[in-house]
Amino acid sequence: MQVSTHAVKGNLCLGLQNRRLLPSARELRGNNLGFSVSDLRMTKRSSCFGFSLDSVAMGARGSVRSVFGSSAKARSVKAQAYEEDVEDVARTKIQVKSSGTVLPYVGVACLGAILFGYHLGVVNGALEYLAKDLGIAENAVSQGWVVSTLLAGATVGSFTGGSLADKFGRTKTFQLDAIPLAVGAFLCATAQSIETMIIGRLLAGIGIGISSAIVPLYISEISPTEIRGTLGSVNQLFICVGILAALVAGLPLAGNPLWWRTMFGVALVPSILLALGMAFSPESPRWLYQQGKFSEAEMSIRRLFGKERVAEVMNDLDAAAQGSSEPEAGWLDLFSSRYWKVVSVGATLFLFQQLAGINAVVYYSTSVFRSAGITSDVAASALVGAANVFGTTIASSLMDKQGRKSLLLTSFAGMAASMLLLSLTFTWKTLAPYAGTLAVLGTVLYVLSFSLGAGPVPALLLPEIFASRIRAKAVALSLGMHWISNFVIGLYFLSVVTKFGISTVYLGFASVCLLAVMYIAGNVVETKGRSLEEIERALNPAI
């Protein structure tokens, strides 16, 4: 009964806020009212029908400690009451049917995701043919540079994307990103020397690095709360589509050795469409609000969600901003005691994603399938790609039903079991008669498990759990961890396999997956059904 009373009182407080008995953050910024923000903070600490707003702040801090697996003492009654109050308010919040639509703009943003997947996958089929054409067929080091330069560029781009998105806005950053994507594709397609090819791959890498940071960021900020999970997971789905498109684009290579140039040139089309599409797409209302462009934020909300929800979304933004006049965060702020716990979760999730062995499994899939009698490289790659797309499609439908955390736990547990199966297949003599079949089964189950959670969830979850003032930079930092670990694994993986054997390496991947399950259970918060502002107030209370 006590929780219900709190919820009622909380709703009464919200009602008073909506009637403007207290000025909103944008009214304070836009008017000279003769009192400071510190006065407003004192006003906020008063009570509303006996419900002290101080207890909300205390509950929020308790919530942070409980979410990120601190001591049992931190799991206080106030923290639990706060969590229940937020959920009650979220459940009683009336969702007005939207007359706007975000789908066309999500589709435009996903062109960046398609290019992400396409540039990653296009070199696999084309490498042998471009190596002969450019005279590096016998030079393994040069071929390695063609592959790895993309990852090095992506690392640079992922760190750059956050700063660009904060300074110029999300849509302008997309348009700027189209430049290295288009120029890189053009240089690769027309290269007459290995140096030109490497420069083209570097520029394309910078482009996909920026895309990896801003696509999930933009989608999360323009999506309605009730379908944000579904739309956010579409990012990973279109990365898979891009990889499959690269595979399909390579089919004519056997009959036309110079087709590799067309494969790289095709990437020019979505790059140009991305730039043109973003010229007509609305800017993120949250970014506009942070810049003090309130009228433009309202116009953006009207286009995205319909005029019926302008007041609702602006009130959410007001509530998140009240009592805080903090400037945009710098890079060092990410490592402060206030934000480090949540930032470390983002970086660790991407580290687990890479150390769990996804690149190794995909790399070895061809040889594994050959042992099972599947001699076609294209067929092997298509089976892996199809499993990835199928799993990601299922994840999209479950994201707002089952939640992000449960999908992560299921995903890493499934990956651990699959890796254990693959490891035993290569070591147990009793399984030798079935080794080929079990290897294919283990590989497909692994990729399917990965695509259910470990693949799509981190990029979706990160923009949700990061506070608005650190969101772009924190996402960039986490994705930087992704690209750095990706690069290091690609550099040393074969050496490790040579030294320890593939079975031992697979067993190590299984152990990493089990560690990920334990870490996620104790440190990751569930975000389904909550607006970005509600999550921010719970995890990052203003100081």
Side-chain angles (χ1 to χ4, degrees):
M1 187 66 187
Q2 184 181 5
V3 173
S4 300
T5 305
H6 281 181
V8 170
K9 292 175 180 175
N11 286 329
L12 287 171
C13 289
L14 290 173
L16 287 177
Q17 285 181 349
N18 289 338
R19 291 177 62 187
R20 299 293 187 211
L21 294 182
L22 289 176
S24 70
R26 56 193 153 112
E27 288 170 341
L28 282 176
R29 294 174 188 172
N31 298 282
N32 185 9
L33 297 176
F35 59 91
S36 66
V37 174
S38 60
D39 294 328
L40 176 61
R41 285 179 181 152
M42 293 174 64
T43 305
K44 282 192 72 181
R45 294 188 182 278
S46 63
S47 63
C48 181
F49 294 96
F51 181 59
S52 173
L53 296 183
D54 270 334
S55 66
V56 174
M58 292 173 64
R61 295 185 185 103
S63 175
V64 173
R65 288 193 294 268
S66 66
V67 164
F68 292 101
S70 298
S71 64
K73 183 179 179 181
R75 302 175 184 273
S76 64
V77 174
K78 287 185 178 181
Q80 295 174 11
Y82 177 84
E83 291 284 338
E84 291 167 353
D85 287 344
V86 172
E87 291 176 1
D88 285 347
V89 171
R91 281 193 293 267
T92 57
K93 192 175 182 179
I94 299 173
Q95 291 289 348
V96 179
K97 187 175 181 181
S98 174
S99 63
T101 179
V102 301
L103 294 181
Y105 312 118
V106 170
V108 172
C110 282
L111 289 171
I114 291 174
L115 285 165
F116 182 126
Y118 190 85
H119 279 293
L120 280 177
V122 70
V123 75
N124 291 337
L127 184 60
E128 177 185 350
Y129 299 90
L130 73 86
K132 291 178 182 178
D133 204 14
L134 298 180
I136 58 169
E138 306 300 324
N139 192 334
V141 174
S142 295
Q143 292 182 40
W145 275 106
V146 171
V147 175
S148 60
T149 302
L150 184 85
L151 301 179
T155 304
V156 175
S158 64
F159 283 112
T160 307
S163 298
L164 291 174
D166 279 341
K167 184 173 183 179
F168 299 108
R170 297 5 177 180
T171 55
K172 291 288 192 303
T173 302
F174 271 113
Q175 292 176 295
L176 290 172
D177 184 35
I179 297 173
L181 285 169
V183 174
F186 177 78
L187 289 178
C188 289
T190 59
Q192 300 298 324
S193 66
I194 183 61
E195 292 80 10
T196 304
M197 172 59 70
I198 288 175
I199 293 173
R201 290 286 284 173
L202 181 66
L203 288 173
I206 291 172
I208 68 170
I210 295 173
S211 293
S212 70
I214 60 174
V215 171
L217 177 66
Y218 180 70
I219 292 176
S220 70
E221 291 188 341
I222 68 168
S223 297
T225 300
E226 60 271 17
I227 57 171
R228 190 177 63 239
T230 299
L231 294 181
S233 59
V234 167
N235 172 50
Q236 179 68 21
L237 178 61
F238 276 94
I239 292 174
C240 300
V241 170
I243 294 173
L244 278 178
L247 173 66
V248 173
L251 291 178
L253 273 171
N256 182 7
L258 292 179
W259 181 256
W260 69 268
R261 294 187 181 275
T262 304
M263 292 172 64
F264 283 101
V266 163
L268 270 168
V269 177
S271 302
I272 295 170
L273 291 177
L274 177 64
L276 292 176
M278 279 298 159
F280 299 97
S281 298
E283 181 54 81
S284 161
R286 290 171 173 85
W287 182 81
L288 290 170
Y289 188 98
Q290 290 165 17
Q291 304 304 307
K293 301 177 180 179
F294 305 118
S295 60
E296 292 180 38
E298 290 178 350
M299 290 175 59
S300 181
I301 295 167
R302 190 175 293 111
R303 289 182 64 186
L304 292 167
F305 309 136
K307 61 182 180 181
E308 304 87 356
R309 298 186 68 172
V310 172
E312 173 194 339
V313 177
M314 288 301 290
N315 283 341
D316 279 344
L317 294 171
D318 284 343
Q322 275 187 8
S324 174
S325 57
E326 298 172 286
E328 197 69 46
W331 284 103
L332 291 179
D333 289 325
L334 303 183
F335 302 96
S336 67
S337 58
R338 178 180 178 186
Y339 293 122
W340 173 241
K341 283 185 178 181
V342 70
V343 170
S344 66
V345 168
T348 304
L349 282 179
F350 272 113
L351 188 61
F352 275 129
Q353 183 194 67
Q354 293 304 304
L355 293 180
I358 180 60
N359 292 319
V361 169
V362 172
Y363 181 87
Y364 264 88
S365 63
T366 300
S367 60
V368 167
F369 290 150
R370 281 176 182 169
S371 69
I374 302 175
T375 57
S376 171
D377 293 356
V378 174
S381 300
L383 188 57
V384 171
N388 202 357
V389 172
F390 178 69
T392 307
T393 304
I394 295 175
S396 297
S397 64
L398 295 177
M399 203 68 70
D400 289 309
K401 297 177 182 177
Q402 298 300 319
R404 287 62 150 159
K405 184 174 182 178
S406 62
L407 285 177
L408 276 176
L409 292 171
T410 302
S411 176
F412 277 105
M415 290 159 66
S418 303
M419 275 297 181
L420 184 59
L421 175 62
L422 285 168
S423 180
L424 293 177
T425 298
F426 289 109
T427 53
W428 278 17
K429 293 182 179 179
T430 53
L431 296 177
Y434 317 102
T437 303
L438 290 176
V440 172
L441 180 64
T443 301
V444 172
L445 285 177
Y446 178 89
V447 173
L448 190 61
S449 298
F450 176 86
S451 62
L452 281 174
V457 171
L460 165 65
L461 187 68
L462 267 53
E464 294 182 327
I465 64 175
F466 293 145
S468 56
R469 70 185 295 261
I470 67 164
R471 187 172 292 142
K473 289 184 176 67
V475 168
L477 177 67
S478 300
L479 284 162
M481 176 64 71
H482 165 272
W483 289 114
I484 291 171
S485 57
N486 196 335
F487 181 79
V488 171
I489 290 170
L491 195 61
Y492 292 107
F493 175 72
L494 289 179
S495 302
V496 173
V497 170
T498 302
K499 184 174 182 178
F500 297 103
I502 189 64
S503 178
T504 303
V505 172
Y506 277 173
L507 192 60
F509 288 147
S511 301
V512 170
C513 292
L514 290 177
L515 285 175
V517 169
M518 292 186 284
Y519 179 84
I520 291 163
N523 294 276
V524 174
V525 62
E526 182 55 71
T527 58
K528 71 167 183 174
R530 292 185 178 183
S531 71
L532 297 181
E533 287 69 39
E534 288 171 343
I535 298 166
E536 177 172 346
R537 291 196 297 273
L539 297 183
N540 303 282
I543 294 177

